[in-house]
Amino acid sequence: FFYVRNHRELKFARTMIFTVEEINRDAILLPGVSLSYRVYNGCGSENLIRAAVEAISGENSKSCSDQVQALVGHSSSGVSGDMNLILSSLSVPQVSHLSTCACLSDRRLYPTFFRTVPSDRYQISGLAQLMKYFDWRWVGVIYSIGMYSEDGTADFVKEAKKEGICIEYSLPYSQISKNLFSVILDTLLESSSNVVLLFMSLSYAKSFLSEIETYKITGKQWIGTESWIMQSDLASADRKHILHGAMGFALPQASIPGLGEFLLGLKPSDEPQSALIKAFWEEFFDCSYSPSNTSTMCTGAEDLRTVSNDYTDVAYFREENNVYKAVYSVAYALHALLQCQNGSNPTTGKLCVNKNEVQPKLVSLNILKLFDLFALYDLVNWQMKEDGSAEISIIGQYDASFPKEERFILKEDVIIVWGGNSSEVPRSVCREPCPPGTRKAINKNKPVCCFDCFKCPEGTISNQTNSPDCLLCPPEFWPNENRDKCLPKPTEYLSYKEIMGALLTAFSCIGVFLALMISVIFLTHKETPIVRANNSELSFLLLFSLKLCFLCSLTFIGRPSEWSCMLRHTAFGITFVLCISCVLGKTLVVLMAFRATLPSSNVMKWFGPMQQRLTVLIFTLIQVMICILWLTINPPFPNINIDYYKEKIILECALGSAVGFWAVLGYIGLLAILCFILAFLARTLPDSFNEAKLITFSMLIFCAVWITFIPAYVSSPGKFTVAVEIFAILASSFGLLVCIFVPKCYIIIFRPEQNSKKHLMGKIPPRTI
């Protein structure tokens, strides 16, 4: 057995002796065979080489049976690796209780190396899972010089990368280099990561903490490895700001009956030739075996139960259990090797081997068959007290035998103390996660954890944290203000409830009311000359058509439906043609009337009331036929327009056939132009009340309105298209109503003396003042 001079290593050596004696007392495990041991000081290369050579050559052995068959140790991975390079030449098995470096699992380099402690690859995986669990994605690593720490750190960096954890810095520490410590100190003060992994062996951890404790490095969550995380003697009042809340994985607790009493029962008289035991004893009790004025004499009868240190801490066993299992693994290998049934070994099927024929190579082969380790760790948390002592609490476990996603288990209802005086889980990220409404973009010039967040473009959303892409909303939806949810687009159409719709409705109703009032006035004065002039029947028909024009504008307001879409354009087209036809008829009556005053003219005979009615009917029927064809071939229909506006839906009436729509408008325009030309020609005819002038002016307004309607209609978006069309209908209708009928109503009501045949014929002489 190999050990170095410290309390913990003495405890390991004494555990090995306890285990050997326990095995020797077992009459079943190795009947007729007694194990013996040698304990070597494993400090320094000379002792290592001497011990290794002695193990191979059998030097100082009294017989073949005294030859070293296996070595237990060393605690250091680097030392164990160097030893095995010597031991493996003759297949001498080496069983380590604490060498955890994953590199030692390479059977090509270390064929006879075995261990009862899990490989660091399990601890490294556990550390990565721990950081992933608490979402610590931005961490720093400080490691010591040597195989254990250097290889372990390199493996941790690889494992962390797999789990999406980034390493801000990875710095080496040496006990003899002040420059390396200065770099570490400056980095800790300037770094943005709040989690620091201290990947060091125990001796280096003690040295590092001794140096760093004088500096106020606060706000850090320290993570330790199994090599030092259970060493409560590292705690002190000066280190409280560092170790308070520290976490790490420790080897599991175990119970070994009788071992505690054996350790505490040690007396120098048990090993009278051992100078090391005496040296430890002097250190334990602050006494001396040599006469001295400064210290008391050691009696050898002192009680170890009265002192507190690593050696006397027997409340539970962790690493000691690995020593216990290491010795037993050699015993079980010998047990399997020495089995004999009917002249052959039941395990190997070969000839039986007696105890004098045992060779290290055979022992090595049998040890190999025993090992099938799965790692089990306790997750521990340092909870410092006011006096600087530490209570190390178990807060969880890591069991490598479980599926990967179930290996890390945190205990429920457990009190966890966090580093950096934090009352909650510390945050350690290079960049906070991209919230919903943004997308995550990797910056090629920075670690993967230092990504950028960009707001989703217009029309897209992301509803997850750290979303790599933004998703388009469906056509009927639009993102909310935060761009993390698609909401139904608001619908837009000209409604009675909004101000513009209400105003247009009011003007339409006013137009109907005025037309109705004029109709009443004309009806009550229907026998008067001004009403009877120019065909009163056409006047009443024109007033009726104007009422319909005002009313048809209401069909354009409200939510479009199949029937409203077909009705609005056809009703508008037919009523306006009826209106223009009446005006055209009245214009023709004026022209024909003055033609009839010429000698030998019988024009009025050919354009009497019947012909006037037929003219209006024929012109209107043509428009009816156009509308019927339009509705039959490709009628207007309600349409959801999602293209004009990105953020809202326009409910509109699609024309169906654009040809049909423009044919309706074109026919109205044709009649209006014809009417305007005829009225313009008749404007100079002699008459006191020449209606042609009024018709000319009304048609001028009508044509102006509809000429300006076309570009406004084409360029107006959404509900404004409908508003422009309603405005054109109302404006042209009011133009006809006011220009043709208001002057007549004025004479009827306010100038009744002018409402006479003589006045209309221009036979009343003008007044003289």
Side-chain angles (χ1 to χ4, degrees), residues 52 56 78-90 94 108-113 147:
I56 294 172
V79 174
S80 290
D82 292 339
M83 287 176 57
N84 197 255
L85 292 176
I86 300 171
L87 298 174
S88 61
S89 61
L90 288 179
Q94 175 188 359
R108 295 172 301 171
L109 297 176
Y110 311 105
T112 63
F113 178 81
M147 178 189 288

Side-chain angles (χ1 to χ4, degrees), residues 265-285:
L266 174 65
K267 299 292 182 183
S269 57
D270 296 337
E271 302 286 345
Q273 304 301 320
S274 175
L276 284 175
I277 295 296
K278 290 182 179 180
F280 276 122
W281 202 263
E282 290 176 338
E283 184 179 343
F284 287 163
F285 297 102

Side-chain angles (χ1 to χ4, degrees), residues 459 473-479 486-489 646-647 649:
C473 286
E476 298 82 10
F477 291 80
W478 191 252
C486 287
L487 301 176
K489 288 181 181 179
K646 295 178 180 178
E647 71 280 2
I649 297 173

Side-chain angles (χ1 to χ4, degrees), residues 342-533:
N342 300 322
S344 63
N345 188 299
T347 304
T348 63
K350 298 180 180 180
L351 295 174
C352 293
V353 177
N354 62 49
K355 62 181 181 180
N356 295 321
E357 296 173 335
V358 172
Q359 294 295 323
K361 183 176 183 179
L362 298 177
V363 177
S364 178
L365 292 174
N366 280 274
I367 291 178
L368 181 62
K369 298 173 184 177
L370 297 174
F371 280 84
D372 187 16
L373 288 178
F374 279 104
L376 177 65
Y377 295 98
D378 288 335
L379 176 63
V380 298
N381 179 223
W382 281 55
Q383 301 179 7
M384 301 288 288
K385 300 177 182 179
E386 291 298 326
D387 60 358
S389 62
E391 179 182 344
I392 304 177
S393 300
I394 299 175
I395 60 172
Q397 275 192 332
Y398 181 79
D399 192 341
S401 64
F402 289 175
K404 187 173 182 179
E405 61 277 4
E406 300 175 11
R407 291 177 182 176
F408 181 71
I409 303 170
L410 196 67
K411 288 185 176 181
E412 297 181 1
D413 302 324
V414 68
I415 297 176
I416 301 177
V417 174
W418 303 104
N421 295 319
S422 177
S423 59
E424 55 187 16
V425 180
R427 294 288 295 161
S428 187
V429 292
C430 180
R431 175 67 184 262
E432 289 294 335
C434 294
T438 62
R439 67 177 180 87
K440 176 181 175 181
I442 302 301
N443 190 325
K444 294 181 180 179
N445 299 320
K446 296 180 180 179
V448 68
C449 300
C450 302
F451 47 82
D452 295 320
C453 296
F454 296 103
K455 190 172 184 180
C456 285
E458 189 179 59
T460 62
I461 66 156
S462 64
N463 54 10
Q464 294 179 342
T465 302
N466 284 338
S467 176
D469 297 300
C470 294
L471 306 175
L472 278 171
C473 286
E476 298 82 10
F477 291 80
W478 191 252
N480 60 355
E481 186 176 353
N482 294 329
R483 298 187 183 178
D484 58 0
K485 186 186 298 182
C486 287
L487 301 176
K489 288 181 181 179
T491 55
E492 180 185 89
Y493 59 90
L494 190 59
S495 170
Y496 292 102
K497 296 180 180 179
E498 59 182 296
I499 295 176
M500 184 165 58
L503 287 174
L504 293 174
T505 301
F507 278 112
S508 179
C509 293
I510 291 171
V512 174
F513 177 74
L514 290 176
L516 187 61
M517 290 297 295
I518 293 171
S519 297
V520 171
I521 293 172
F522 268 50
L523 189 62
T524 55
H525 298 83
K526 64 180 179 178
E527 299 300 330
T528 60
I530 200 167
V531 175
R532 294 182 63 187

Side-chain angles (χ1 to χ4, degrees), residues 166-375:
C166 298
I167 309 301
E168 183 183 10
Y169 56 85
S170 179
L171 301 174
Y173 168 75
S174 173
Q175 295 169 322
I176 59 175
S177 174
K178 295 297 181 182
N179 291 334
L180 290 180
F181 181 76
S182 297
V183 172
I184 292 172
L185 184 61
D186 293 341
T187 303
L188 286 173
L189 292 171
E190 297 173 2
S191 66
S192 59
S193 58
N194 295 323
V195 174
V196 184
L197 173 61
L198 198 60
F199 209 124
M200 293 185 178
S201 61
L202 177 59
S203 59
Y204 277 93
K206 287 181 178 180
S207 174
F208 176 78
L209 292 173
S210 297
E211 287 192 75
I212 202 72
E213 67 182 12
T214 58
Y215 299 93
K216 293 300 179 183
I217 306 296
T218 58
K220 303 294 184 182
Q221 173 68 53
W222 293 84
I223 307 297
T225 55
E226 45 76 32
S227 59
W228 66 267
I229 197 65
M230 285 305 301
Q231 300 303 307
S232 58
D233 62 318
L234 294 175
S236 69
D238 293 333
R239 298 174 184 174
K240 185 176 180 180
H241 65 285
I242 299 174
L243 294 176
H244 187 58
M247 284 186 182
F249 288 110
L251 297 174
Q253 294 180 177
S255 175
I256 305 176
L259 178 59
E261 292 79 1
F262 179 82
L263 294 174
L264 296 177
L266 174 65
K267 299 292 182 183
S269 57
D270 296 337
E271 302 286 345
Q273 304 301 320
S274 175
L276 284 175
I277 295 296
K278 290 182 179 180
F280 276 122
W281 202 263
E282 290 176 338
E283 184 179 343
F284 287 163
F285 297 102
D286 192 21
C287 62
S288 175
Y289 278 98
S290 302
S292 173
N293 296 327
T294 58
S295 57
T296 59
M297 286 291 294
C298 295
T299 65
E302 292 86 356
D303 189 354
L304 287 172
R305 292 175 178 83
T306 62
V307 295
S308 178
N309 53 43
D310 276 352
Y311 181 84
T312 60
D313 183 5
V314 294
Y316 49 80
F317 301 108
R318 294 182 185 274
E319 295 89 347
E320 296 79 13
N321 187 46
N322 291 336
V323 176
Y324 187 77
K325 290 190 292 184
V327 178
Y328 261 98
S329 67
V330 177
Y332 284 127
L334 289 171
H335 173 80
L337 185 61
L338 296 174
Q339 292 293 304
C340 186
Q341 293 180 4
N342 300 322
S344 63
N345 188 299
T347 304
T348 63
K350 298 180 180 180
L351 295 174
C352 293
V353 177
N354 62 49
K355 62 181 181 180
N356 295 321
E357 296 173 335
V358 172
Q359 294 295 323
K361 183 176 183 179
L362 298 177
V363 177
S364 178
L365 292 174
N366 280 274
I367 291 178
L368 181 62
K369 298 173 184 177
L370 297 174
F371 280 84
D372 187 16
L373 288 178
F374 279 104

Side-chain angles (χ1 to χ4, degrees), residues 114-164:
F114 307 96
R115 53 184 160 198
T116 54
V117 64
S119 165
D120 268 337
R121 68 185 180 90
Y122 296 109
Q123 180 184 206
I124 288 166
S125 177
L127 290 170
Q129 291 296 318
L130 171 69
M131 294 177 183
K132 181 180 178 181
Y133 182 88
F134 290 116
D135 201 28
W136 294 331
R137 304 284 178 171
W138 187 234
V139 302
V141 183
I142 302 173
Y143 63 93
S144 56
I145 303 298
M147 178 189 288
Y148 164 73
S149 301
E150 291 177 348
D151 284 33
T153 299
D155 290 341
F156 172 76
V157 171
K158 295 177 184 177
E159 186 67 23
K161 186 177 181 181
K162 294 178 185 177
E163 299 296 341

